[in-house]
Amino acid sequence: MDSETHQRRRRGNATHNTVITEKRLKRSEVLAKKKAFEQLIKAAHAEKDHLASFPSYRHFQINGLSVCLKSGYGNKLSSTVKQYIQTLLKLNMEGPYGSEWQEEEKVKRREMVDHEARYIFVHEVANSNADDMTTEDTSTSCLENGGPLVGFVHYRFVLEEEVPVLYVYELQLDSRVQGKGLGKFLIELIELIAQKNCMGAVMLTVQKANLLAMNFYISKLRYIISSTSPSKVNPMIEKSYEILCKTFNDEAKTVFEVTESKSF
């Protein structure tokens, strides 16, 4: 074997070894990143009361409506609260789901009691009591003597496309407290909770037939249709829902926001 051939083979082997090393390093980095994200999810889920960091959001009062908020867990729901959730879901969602509701209702009943499910419960407060309360007074009163339930948010911390996100499973309000800014207030709180816990985005699923909800999130709250939504993944296959998102960092933006291809 001549020296030139030997050198070429050495260079070839060196290049091959470099590629293998780079792949191992890349895999190691990916695994380390995934582990770090899983730790974020675990830490966020372990926090007992996400409202504790945002005391000003424990109370909402406007347009003749006064409510206070409490945290909850899916695996610690009382039978009364379970019944309330099921009833409100049926009232609000049977119409948008149409023929799919019978099966979807079964799924939602399983989801609502999952140990990963976190809740924000909305309790009505008598205006006569709320008028003279400070933020601290209202928070204490709500924690000790929550009034009747008028809504809830069910959310979880999950990995979507290897990105840690806060996923809103449900935001449901009694019809008599809708249209007063409470929904927007709750989503603002959810976004604060997501960012405090280093989540890359808030995500949620909306039925296309639920036009009010689609308009609420897209037009009023500036959510967008995620690149992971069925209409973006495969427009040829018609699905009844869209996945919406609002991103908070570059990585989430790269994964969840659709970049229109340039035409030349």
Side-chain angles (χ1 to χ4, degrees), residues 2-251:
D2 59 38
S3 60
E4 185 177 347
T5 302
H6 184 66
Q7 288 175 3
R8 282 203 302 269
R9 289 190 177 181
R10 286 184 61 189
R11 286 197 297 270
N13 289 337
T15 301
H16 178 66
N17 291 336
T18 299
V19 170
I20 291 176
T21 301
E22 288 177 350
K23 285 183 177 180
R24 286 176 178 170
L25 285 172
K26 187 174 182 180
R27 177 173 173 75
S28 177
E29 290 171 359
V30 169
L31 290 175
K33 191 174 185 179
K34 183 177 181 180
K35 185 176 181 180
F37 284 163
E38 289 173 345
Q39 288 300 315
L40 280 178
I41 297 292
K42 185 177 180 180
H45 181 70
E47 189 170 340
K48 290 184 178 181
D49 182 7
H50 294 121
L51 288 170
S53 298
F54 309 102
S56 63
Y57 277 83
R58 283 198 183 274
H59 181 231
F60 175 84
Q61 185 173 5
I62 194 172
N63 300 330
L65 173 67
S66 182
V67 301
C68 61
L69 310 184
K70 295 174 68 175
S71 294
Y73 297 82
N75 59 350
K76 295 182 179 180
L77 302 178
S78 68
S79 57
T80 302
V81 172
K82 288 179 187 176
Q83 186 58 53
Y84 171 81
I85 291 173
Q86 292 171 10
T87 301
L88 187 58
L89 280 169
K90 185 177 177 66
L91 283 171
N92 287 354
M93 301 309 299
E94 186 174 20
Y97 274 102
S99 61
E100 298 177 8
W101 174 248
Q102 188 172 3
E103 288 302 314
E104 189 62 31
E105 185 177 27
K106 296 175 184 177
V107 174
K108 290 183 180 296
R109 288 190 177 192
R110 290 194 299 269
E111 290 177 341
M112 75 179 194
V113 294
D114 192 277
H115 75 283
E116 293 185 352
R118 299 299 299 266
Y119 283 88
I120 295 172
F121 291 113
V122 185
H123 294 264
E124 190 169 24
V125 178
N127 274 304
S128 58
N129 295 332
D131 287 340
D132 299 325
M133 284 185 176
T134 65
T135 299
E136 184 177 354
D137 290 336
T138 307
S139 299
T140 303
S141 176
C142 187
L143 288 170
E144 295 176 351
N145 308 299
L149 276 169
V150 292
F152 68 91
V153 183
H154 166 191
Y155 64 99
R156 302 189 195 187
F157 300 98
V158 300
L159 281 178
E160 287 285 321
E161 303 295 326
E162 303 303 323
V163 175
V165 306
L166 186 158
Y167 209 108
V168 178
Y169 275 58
E170 306 288 348
L171 193 169
Q172 303 293 340
L173 298 174
D174 284 7
S175 58
R176 65 188 180 85
V177 300
Q178 293 177 16
K180 298 187 177 185
L182 179 55
K184 182 180 179 182
F185 177 81
L186 289 170
I187 288 295
E188 287 176 355
L189 172 58
I190 284 292
E191 290 171 4
L192 288 172
I193 292 172
Q195 291 177 82
K196 179 184 179 294
N197 287 277
C198 303
M199 298 295 108
V202 169
M203 302 189 73
L204 49 94
T205 303
V206 181
Q207 290 297 111
K208 291 180 181 178
N210 195 344
L211 299 180
L212 287 176
M214 289 291 289
N215 180 67
F216 171 70
Y217 288 111
I218 294 175
S219 298
K220 293 185 178 181
L221 300 182
R222 303 303 179 192
Y223 278 68
I224 64 169
I225 297 175
S226 170
S227 60
T228 60
S229 192
S231 66
K232 301 295 184 182
V233 174
N234 191 343
M236 300 301 292
I237 299 178
E238 183 68 23
K239 294 290 185 179
S240 61
Y241 63 90
E242 296 282 11
I243 298 173
L244 308 184
C245 70
K246 179 180 284 189
T247 60
F248 304 124
N249 59 40
D250 291 339
E251 182 171 15

